[in-house]
Amino acid sequence: MNYERPQFFHLMQYARAAEGDVVDMVSGDPDWEPPTALRDGLREYADAEPDEFQYPPSEGLVELREEIAARRNVDPGRIVVTNGTGEANYLAMAAALDRNAGSEVLLADPVYPYYPGKTELLGGDTTLVPTERDGSIDPDRFREAASEDTALVLVNTPNNPTGAVYSRETMRDLADLAAEVDATLVSDEVYDHFDFTGGFESALTLDSDRVIVTSGFSKSMAITGFRVGYAVLPEQFVGGAKTRHMLVNVATSRPPQVAVLRALRGTEPEYYERVRSMLRDRVSTFTDALDVADAEYTTPDGAFYVLARFDGFPGTMANAKRLVDGAGVAGMPGETFGSARAEWFRFALVTPRVEEAATRLADYFS
Amino acid sequence: MNYERPQFFHLMQYARAAEGDVVDMVSGDPDWEPPTALRDGLREYADAEPDEFQYPPSEGLVELREEIAARRNVDPGRIVVTNGTGEANYLAMAAALDRNAGSEVLLADPVYPYYPGKTELLGGDTTLVPTERDGSIDPDRFREAASEDTALVLVNTPNNPTGAVYSRETMRDLADLAAEVDATLVSDEVYDHFDFTGGFESALTLDSDRVIVTSGFSKSMAITGFRVGYAVLPEQFVGGAKTRHMLVNVATSRPPQVAVLRALRGTEPEYYERVRSMLRDRVSTFTDALDVADAEYTTPDGAFYVLARFDGFPGTMANAKRLVDGAGVAGMPGETFGSARAEWFRFALVTPRVEEAATRLADYFS
């Protein structure tokens, strides 16, 4: 396995090295303020006794697991606190592949590039299943792609990059499919706080022993660098996931766990509502200006990305660099998310300058 | 793979649930104060801008890698910052096994229990090679055990649990052996700041492209819960290690990296010397009292553990529990460290009450 600097690092560096001013809409790094209680948690922890600086339980601080469990309405024993949602996905995917129930992994296309990478690391084989034009999933397409060798169906909802929020019915169909072919369904719900429809339901509500849900606080608390995530596993998967977590990482870092715990306890719903409201405004502002550029685009139901397509200008890395140099806007080329959105670009709404960005795009394409 | 709660958690819980007062010498959690600059680093970071709360580079903060590289006299490009030394060992072992140069892993007996666990996770096969009575390694024993299938020789120096510090000559012999059988030598040097001989030399001084060195700040800064470690890899291993690190963890948590960086820059050598001096005192106090108990024991050259043997009282978990209940002292049974020290107990000098503990042991065995 060779190291390939992820495409988005490559593009961010290119954008930073550019001569002119560039609006950076490449990464999924929130630009807004984390909860006040999170900062308080860090500050208080700085004065803690030495014993609070030592190993936390491998599966996570007891109080943190209890807080998460109460919110997710599950038994705390089903939760493993991980080094971000990234590790939670790694553990969940390993759990599905360790069952010796096949090696095929079904992923929705467009795909978050880490998923096929993790699949390869774990010895699985990726099959990409196209989503519909509006980003939704047709479970029948997954059923057609599935086989006896299918070990895992992994989806991300609300979705990066399409902004789709899959219905509970869709998730139920995928869970049923998993049961039919003796596979596991993993639902990555890291954008669960960014649902603009009000209709998102976690796959945990399916209450299935074939469903693993992963999530974390990177996006909801604007702390992608803290690396605090978790997996909620059916009972038969808990032991294996804890073992792997312990052997790979020993434990998740304690200071960020303490800060997240403090933020969970001390943050009102209004914090999350304010962020959603700001993102709704950014979506409208950005898409209104894209209308002027005569671009086709998605209006996200969730997460914080807009996909846009410009006629005769496919979503290649070369064109992404042209946008940086020519328009002063950096967005991810769609070709990095599999094949289904190769004509598109993904713009992350993580800057207050979304109107400026859209105006620049309109000017560039006019 | 089934989850087995590590033996030391099991024993710590037993000790905490005991009726009487128990001196806990089970875990390797330092009980002393971390560097002042580390606390300052956390405090300052609590007020950082939101962009400093986002993803650090996957391989670690640039400034942290540079600080480590300067101290280790290597190129910063060879360093991957990890979620503790535990992850560094996982990456190093995977690098050795991913070469398809065999599947056998040679480990010194007594062995730190995570090593065989990681070996199994990575699909390798463990062969335990006994150390000498004084804890030193005879490279010829490793040579006898080695075969064409040997992919990895992994040792820990200064050593947990024996307290041995391997000579540079021993490490050179092991590196030569690795070359002979086309294997990789991994030297876990997490106790590098706890050398009481003044003679410890890192395996990095061998300047071999077959040697990976792992270390971290858990012990030297008394922060086992922060999970900041690193691997120093020969160039041909860097790409693979970065890829695996990224796919498993995305990145190492940023707040502890910032705090460690601040502590590296702001901590005088006197801090480390004071801790070593305190540990030297604890060793003398504890072993003097063990003399009274007529126990055989090791006087460590490094790390902070003493192995002790009591006639007719082998180092089993059952006997460890008897010590908790009967003597009010908790130590790790030697049987949990492989087979070579099954008659012994390991006592971690992470409490100011070492004299009390030794007196209790003397009373119990008199």
Side-chain angles (χ1 to χ4, degrees):
Chain A
M1 198 162 32
N2 288 312
Y3 176 66
E4 287 177 29
R5 183 166 288 270
Q7 302 292 311
F8 76 93
F9 278 124
H10 177 75
L11 192 61
M12 279 163 69
Q13 286 191 321
Y14 187 86
R16 278 171 199 162
E19 288 205 356
D21 170 64
V22 177
V23 183
D24 183 349
M25 301 177 76
V26 172
S27 86
D29 289 14
D31 67 312
W32 50 89
E33 179 65 17
T36 307
L38 183 107
R39 292 183 182 276
D40 294 341
L42 279 177
R43 217 171 276 122
E44 290 160 12
Y45 185 73
D47 295 317
E49 293 297 316
D51 70 329
E52 289 183 60
F53 285 4
Q54 310 309 322
Y55 295 118
S58 180
E59 62 268 33
L61 291 174
V62 173
E63 300 88 335
L64 179 57
R65 293 168 74 221
E66 285 170 353
E67 285 287 332
I68 295 168
R71 281 163 176 75
R72 306 312 303 256
N73 194 29
V74 297
D75 188 288
R78 292 179 56 195
I79 292 171
V80 179
V81 176
T82 56
N83 189 71
T85 313
E87 195 215 343
N89 285 328
Y90 164 75
L91 295 181
M93 294 172 76
L97 288 162
D98 281 351
R99 284 182 62 233
N100 294 321
S103 64
E104 187 183 53
V105 177
L106 301 187
L107 301 172
D109 185 1
V111 69
Y112 178 62
Y114 278 73
Y115 299 154
K118 284 176 209 272
T119 300
E120 191 188 346
L121 179 74
L122 290 164
D125 303 303
T126 294
T127 298
L128 292 181
V129 183
T131 52
E132 307 310 298
R133 184 107 185 146
D134 64 357
S136 67
I137 274 180
D138 178 354
D140 284 340
R141 295 228 209 187
F142 278 76
R143 184 161 277 107
E144 282 156 29
S147 73
E148 272 201 356
D149 191 41
T150 304
L152 168 62
V153 179
L154 166 58
V155 295
N156 167 224
T157 177
N159 189 266
N160 168 17
T162 67
V165 173
Y166 305 147
S167 69
R168 188 163 186 277
E169 197 180 15
T170 295
M171 297 304 290
R172 161 64 69 197
D173 285 349
L174 293 177
D176 288 347
L177 169 60
E180 282 164 36
V181 296
D182 190 23
T184 304
L185 173 65
V186 175
S187 180
D188 174 350
E189 302 178 354
V190 70
Y191 293 101
D192 54 8
H193 281 64
F194 304 94
D195 165 39
F196 306 126
T197 67
F200 170 71
E201 287 191 78
S202 167
L204 283 175
T205 63
L206 299 175
D207 198 24
S208 161
D209 65 0
R210 296 211 168 254
V211 176
I212 302 174
V213 168
T214 60
S215 193
F217 305 96
S218 291
K219 312 290 182 178
S220 62
M221 294 186 180
I223 48 168
T224 56
F226 277 45
R227 318 303 310 131
V228 184
Y230 60 90
V232 185
L233 303 124
E235 212 175 303
Q236 77 266 26
F237 290 125
V238 172
K242 281 186 183 176
T243 299
R244 187 177 282 267
H245 173 64
M246 192 170 56
L247 290 174
V248 170
N249 278 328
V250 183
T252 299
S253 182
R254 189 162 180 162
Q257 286 194 64
V258 171
V260 164
L261 174 61
R262 182 75 166 73
L264 276 177
R265 288 176 172 168
T267 304
E268 299 297 320
E270 287 71 28
Y271 167 81
Y272 304 103
E273 186 44 56
R274 266 200 313 276
V275 175
R276 271 192 297 272
S277 169
M278 178 195 69
L279 285 170
R280 265 195 213 96
D281 289 346
R282 286 183 181 177
V283 170
S284 316
T285 307
F286 189 62
T287 55
D288 284 355
L290 284 176
D291 278 329
V292 180
D294 216 18
E296 185 180 4
Y297 57 82
T298 58
T299 303
D301 284 337
F304 42 74
Y305 307 96
V306 168
L307 285 168
R309 194 180 67 77
F310 307 97
D311 269 337
F313 195 82
T316 63
M317 184 58 81
N319 276 341
K321 290 180 178 175
R322 282 188 191 102
L323 279 189
V324 168
D325 295 324
V329 180
M332 275 301 282
E335 66 175 13
T336 56
F337 298 97
S339 56
R341 292 297 183 280
E343 296 294 312
W344 300 66
F345 290 86
R346 186 198 75 174
F347 297 96
L349 304 178
V350 292
T351 164
R353 298 204 290 159
V354 292
E355 185 160 17
E356 170 73 18
T359 306
R360 289 181 183 190
L361 291 170
D363 289 348
Y364 183 75
F365 287 107
S366 69
Chain B
M1 197 160 35
N2 289 313
Y3 176 65
E4 287 177 28
R5 183 167 286 270
Q7 303 292 312
F8 77 93
F9 279 124
H10 178 75
L11 193 61
M12 279 164 70
Q13 285 191 322
Y14 187 85
R16 278 171 197 162
E19 287 205 356
D21 171 63
V22 177
V23 182
D24 183 350
M25 301 177 77
V26 174
S27 86
D29 290 13
D31 66 313
W32 50 89
E33 180 64 18
T36 306
L38 183 108
R39 293 184 181 276
D40 294 341
L42 279 177
R43 218 171 276 122
E44 291 159 12
Y45 185 73
D47 296 316
E49 293 297 316
D51 69 329
E52 289 183 60
F53 285 5
Q54 309 310 321
Y55 294 118
S58 180
E59 61 269 32
L61 291 173
V62 172
E63 300 88 336
L64 179 57
R65 291 168 74 220
E66 284 170 355
E67 285 289 332
I68 295 168
R71 280 163 176 77
R72 307 312 303 256
N73 194 29
V74 298
D75 188 288
R78 291 179 56 195
I79 292 171
V80 180
V81 176
T82 55
N83 189 70
T85 313
E87 196 214 344
N89 285 328
Y90 163 75
L91 296 181
M93 295 172 76
L97 288 162
D98 281 350
R99 284 182 62 232
N100 294 321
S103 63
E104 186 183 51
V105 177
L106 301 187
L107 301 172
D109 185 359
V111 69
Y112 177 62
Y114 277 74
Y115 298 154
K118 284 176 208 274
T119 300
E120 191 189 346
L121 179 75
L122 290 163
D125 302 304
T126 294
T127 298
L128 293 181
V129 183
T131 53
E132 307 310 296
R133 183 107 185 147
D134 65 357
S136 68
I137 275 181
D138 179 354
D140 284 340
R141 293 230 209 185
F142 277 76
R143 184 162 276 107
E144 283 157 31
S147 72
E148 273 201 353
D149 190 41
T150 304
L152 167 63
V153 180
L154 166 58
V155 296
N156 168 225
T157 176
N159 188 266
N160 168 18
T162 68
V165 174
Y166 306 146
S167 70
R168 187 163 186 279
E169 197 180 15
T170 295
M171 297 305 289
R172 161 64 69 197
D173 285 349
L174 292 177
D176 288 347
L177 169 61
E180 283 164 36
V181 295
D182 190 22
T184 304
L185 173 64
V186 174
S187 180
D188 174 350
E189 303 178 354
V190 70
Y191 293 100
D192 53 7
H193 281 63
F194 303 94
D195 165 39
F196 306 126
T197 67
F200 170 71
E201 287 192 77
S202 168
L204 284 175
T205 64
L206 299 175
D207 199 23
S208 160
D209 64 1
R210 295 210 170 256
V211 176
I212 303 174
V213 169
T214 60
S215 193
F217 305 96
S218 291
K219 313 289 181 178
S220 62
M221 295 187 180
I223 48 167
T224 54
F226 276 46
R227 317 304 311 130
V228 184
Y230 60 90
V232 185
L233 303 125
E235 211 175 304
Q236 76 266 25
F237 290 126
V238 173
K242 281 186 182 177
T243 300
R244 188 177 280 267
H245 172 64
M246 191 170 57
L247 291 175
V248 170
N249 278 328
V250 183
T252 300
S253 182
R254 190 162 179 162
Q257 286 194 65
V258 170
V260 164
L261 174 61
R262 182 76 166 75
L264 275 177
R265 288 176 172 168
T267 305
E268 299 298 320
E270 288 71 26
Y271 167 80
Y272 305 103
E273 188 42 60
R274 265 201 312 277
V275 174
R276 271 191 298 270
S277 170
M278 176 193 71
L279 286 170
R280 265 194 212 94
D281 289 346
R282 286 183 181 178
V283 170
S284 318
T285 306
F286 189 62
T287 54
D288 284 355
L290 283 178
D291 278 329
V292 180
D294 216 18
E296 185 180 2
Y297 57 82
T298 59
T299 302
D301 284 338
F304 41 73
Y305 307 96
V306 167
L307 286 168
R309 196 181 67 77
F310 307 97
D311 270 337
F313 195 81
T316 62
M317 184 58 80
N319 276 341
K321 290 180 178 175
R322 282 189 190 99
L323 280 188
V324 168
D325 295 324
V329 179
M332 276 298 283
E335 67 175 12
T336 56
F337 298 97
S339 56
R341 291 298 182 279
E343 295 294 311
W344 300 66
F345 290 86
R346 186 198 76 174
F347 297 97
L349 304 177
V350 292
T351 164
R353 298 203 290 159
V354 292
E355 186 161 15
E356 170 74 18
T359 305
R360 289 181 183 190
L361 290 170
D363 289 347
Y364 183 75
F365 288 106
S366 68

